[in-house]
Structure formats: C-alpha cells, structure tokens
Amino acid sequence: MIAISTERPTAAPATDLVHRYVGRVRSGDMGALPSVIALVVLSAIFWAARPVFMSEANFANLFTQGAAIAVIAMGLVFVLLLGEIDLSAGFTSGVCAAVLAVLLTDKGWPWYLAVLVSLLTGVAIGLVIGAVVVKVGIPSFVVTLAAFLALQGVALKIMDNGRNISIHDETIVAIANKNVPPLFGWALYAVLVVGFAIVQYRKLRARNELGLTGETAPVIAVRIAILAVVAGAAVFVLNGERSRNPELHSLAGMPIVVPLIVALLLVWTFVLNRTSFGRHTYAVGGNAEAARRAGIAVNRVKISAFVLCSTMAAVGGLIAASRANSVDPNTGGSDVLLTAVGAAVIGGTSLFGGRGRMLDAVVGAAVVAVINNGMGLMGYSAGTKFVVTGFVLLLAAGVDALSRKRAPLQR
C-alpha cells in the first residue's frame, strides 16, 4: 500500500534564497543588478557634487527628460528578446509625431483621432519591417537601417523639408508638461504597493500548492517593504511644491508621464510574464529552431515584436512632441535611437536574445537620464556626456557577453 504524504512543502530558508541568488549572479544571470547599482552610485555622486540634483524640481525633470527614451526602449525590448534589432525606432517616433502634429495643427483634428492615426502609423511601419525581415529573409539590421534612412526622408516630406510645427492642443501638451493632483499620486502609490503584495503572495501560495520550495513570507514582506519605501519616497518628493510662486502657479504633483510609464510597464510586464505570446517570445529568442519544432509560430512572434516596437516608438514620439510643444525634422533623430537601445541594454536586456524584462528598459533609461542631467548640472559638455554614456553602454554589453560565456561553464 502506497503512503501518500499530506505535508505541505517547506519554503526555502532566507539564507538559502540569498545563496541561490548569489549563485545566479556568479553564473552570469545578473539581470538589472548592475544598472541598479550604477543608478544608486551615480545619483549619490551627483547629489554630493550638486545638491540641487535631488531637489523636487530636478527630480521631476528627470522623469520628463527620460520618459520618451524609456517608452521607446520598452518597445525595443520585444525585438532584442528575439536577438533582433530595430535601428528605425527613433525616426519611427519622429514620423508618428509629425503625423500627429500635422493632423492637430494643420488639419484641426481632435486629439484622440490624431493620436489614433499616429499609433496606427507606428503599427503599419512595424508590420512592414517585420514582414520584410520574416518573409524576405533580410537581416533586421539591414532592413531597419534602410527604414532609418527612408523614415528620415518621410519625416522631411511630411514637414515640408524642415518646417517646425507647433502643437497647441491642451491635452497633448499636458502629457509631458502638467502634473496629476498629489492625492492621485498617493492613490496610485497605494494601488501599486497593494497590487504588488497580492501578486507576490498569490505566487507564494501557488508554489506551495504545487509542492515547490520557494520564497518565505518574510522574504516577500521585505521585498514589498522595499518597494513601499522607494515608491513612497518618490511620490513624496514629486508631490512637493516646485513652483517659486505657488500662489500664481502650482507645480505640486507627479508629472502625468509617470503614471503613463507605470501603466505601460505593468501591461507589458504582464504580457511577457503571463501570456503565451510572452513565453513564445522568450522561447524564440532562446532558440528559434527549437521553438519552431515545439509548434510555436516563430514568424508571427517576430512580426508582432516589430509591430509592438514601432507602436511604442509612436508613443515615445507623442511624449517627445508634448514635451517640446512642437515637432521638427530632428524629432526622433540625433541620439534618440542609440540612447533608447543603450537604455534597454544598460538595464540588463541581452543583445543576444532570450533574456530581459520591461523593467530593464525603465531602469536603463533612468541611468541615461541621470548621467545626462547630473553631468549637465556639473557643467560638462554634450561631448563628455556622450563619451560617458557610451562607456556605460559598452560596459553593460561587455557584462552581458561575459555572462553568456560563463553561464555554460556553471552548468
């Protein structure tokens, strides 16, 4: 007679979890750890050198300064997870912003229709790029490089070879220039922390029901507490009054782009972690041939990734247009693409595919924004900023490459 044990699985002690995490780090699976450390160290250095760096006004400026890059980088994560690249994302954002500006200013369309057409333009661009890469078989580097050049010309055509189009629509301008009420900020904070706690404890209960050893309740409680403290401090600072004359014009409350980025981060994190499309994306990025033999529609996944990348680029263009209150031929150009790719890689997304998270893009964009902002406050030139950002990107790519080589040795 077979005896069936009814004992519930015991959770792994906290010390075992620490050793397990250290083992993953030593084997090369560091995730966003290097970028988080860099973010903390850089912030401390700039704060010590220029105390104004952590002022309410500059802290809010960091979010609006890095918002467009963070959004474009989130779209690039989908493509990078497949081991592909999209060099056209910058000018895709510029073309979509130009479409938005023309429809709003020249055609007098309502903002919601202009935004819809702008996003559909991004979808169309991504669909064409993905179809050429998949159906014709041209490497994504070549296809998107050609699109980079072509879209630059399209943007010039839309704006009559150099015209600057101002945006006066209050709703669009508010996205990167207005703030939500402080009470809304605290409500968002409460929803975020409570939601995170519910998700963590549901995962713990599911693992226990399946008989899997996992994290203990105290470890999860510490994780929730860290999120509560960090997010609470951010909301507190952002809710501070930043206006020199608040009686005439108040600047209290977090910028509208903050809840927008949080919403996009939550949605795409859910897509990657909780949907079949997300699982298929990681599978294709890890080994496309094995994924195809497993019955995954590899071509469909790749096309979808390029569509999502270009759509997020369109959202980034919308934010950039809102922040500048205008669109010109340089929108989406200059260093936008390289900075967005750099943000995703600096945050921990692998250039070789199969490894990365949406959070990587946001953390990496924060590192880039801190470098640009802090060095600007210290009086360094744009050239020096590019050199430092390039060095950080090279360091992040080097860590990724070394971790890939080291991982098989640990197996």
Side-chain angles (χ1 to χ4, degrees):
M1 186 172 181
I2 301 175
I4 301 176
S5 174
T6 59
E7 294 182 3
R8 296 182 64 84
T10 58
T15 53
D16 289 351
L17 295 173
V18 172
H19 291 314
R20 193 182 305 168
Y21 179 74
V22 172
R24 289 205 312 268
V25 172
R26 294 179 64 182
S27 67
D29 186 11
M30 290 181 284
L33 179 62
S35 57
V36 171
I37 294 175
L39 185 61
V40 173
V41 171
L42 288 170
S43 298
I45 292 173
F46 291 137
W47 190 8
R50 291 290 186 271
V52 70
F53 175 79
M54 287 303 293
S55 65
E56 290 89 346
N58 193 62
F59 190 66
N61 184 52
L62 281 171
F63 284 94
T64 56
Q65 185 176 349
I69 296 300
V71 171
I72 297 173
M74 279 194 272
L76 283 164
V77 167
F78 285 107
V79 176
L80 292 174
L81 283 174
L82 299 176
E84 305 285 354
I85 190 66
D86 187 350
L87 299 177
S88 66
F91 276 114
T92 296
S93 70
V95 168
C96 295
V99 170
L100 174 76
V102 168
L103 294 179
L104 285 174
T105 303
D106 294 350
K107 306 298 183 182
W109 284 28
W111 68 268
Y112 49 88
L113 289 180
V115 169
L116 177 61
V117 173
S118 176
L119 294 179
L120 290 176
T121 301
V123 171
I125 293 173
L127 189 60
V128 171
I129 292 174
V132 173
V133 170
V134 170
K135 301 300 183 181
V136 182
I138 303 175
S140 59
F141 178 88
V142 177
V143 175
T144 57
L145 178 60
F148 172 91
L149 298 172
L151 291 173
Q152 187 174 6
V154 171
L156 287 170
K157 290 289 186 180
I158 293 175
M159 290 178 285
D160 298 331
N161 293 322
R163 184 165 63 104
N164 185 300
I165 305 176
S166 298
I167 295 178
H168 304 290
D169 186 272
E170 294 182 358
T171 303
I172 300 300
V173 171
I175 293 174
N177 295 284
K178 300 293 183 179
N179 309 308
V180 298
L183 184 60
F184 180 88
W186 285 117
L188 177 63
Y189 163 77
V191 170
L192 181 64
V193 174
V194 172
F196 181 75
I198 292 174
V199 170
Q200 291 297 307
Y201 279 107
R202 286 186 64 182
K203 287 173 61 178
L204 175 63
R205 187 175 63 181
R207 290 180 64 87
N208 288 338
E209 290 177 352
L210 293 173
L212 303 174
T213 59
E215 300 167 338
T216 61
V219 171
I220 291 179
V222 170
R223 184 181 298 164
I224 296 170
I226 292 174
L227 174 66
V229 170
V230 174
V235 173
F236 178 79
V237 174
L238 290 174
N239 279 344
E241 182 59 64
R242 303 187 292 275
S243 174
R244 295 183 178 180
N245 195 344
E247 295 181 357
L248 294 177
H249 181 61
S250 176
L251 287 178
M254 67 172 62
I256 293 175
V257 292
V258 175
L260 175 60
I261 291 176
V262 171
L264 290 171
L265 175 62
L266 293 177
V267 168
W268 296 131
T269 298
F270 175 82
V271 168
L272 283 179
N273 295 343
R274 299 291 179 179
T275 67
S276 58
F277 171 75
R279 292 190 292 271
H280 293 171
T281 299
Y282 283 109
V284 173
N287 190 321
E289 184 57 33
R292 182 177 288 105
R293 293 180 179 180
I296 295 175
V298 174
N299 291 347
R300 186 180 303 171
V301 170
K302 288 186 175 182
I303 292 175
S304 299
F306 280 103
V307 169
L308 290 173
C309 180
S310 294
T311 304
M312 289 297 287
V315 178
L318 168 64
I319 295 173
S322 172
R323 185 167 184 258
N325 292 349
S326 64
V327 176
D328 59 51
N330 290 323
T331 303
S334 186
D335 63 330
V336 171
L337 167 68
L338 299 180
T339 305
V341 174
V345 175
I346 290 171
T349 301
S350 175
L351 285 168
F352 303 97
R355 191 167 67 195
R357 302 174 300 171
M358 277 299 143
L359 184 61
D360 297 342
V362 177
V363 175
V367 173
V368 173
V370 164
I371 291 174
N372 289 334
N373 184 276
M375 296 190 72
L377 291 175
M378 295 178 67
Y380 287 100
S381 66
T384 305
K385 295 178 189 178
F386 284 134
V387 170
V388 173
T389 305
F391 174 77
V392 173
L393 172 58
L394 181 62
L395 183 63
V399 170
D400 179 33
L402 291 175
S403 67
R404 286 277 176 173
K405 291 181 179 180
R406 188 174 182 180
L409 300 177
Q410 300 292 329
R411 295 191 180 104

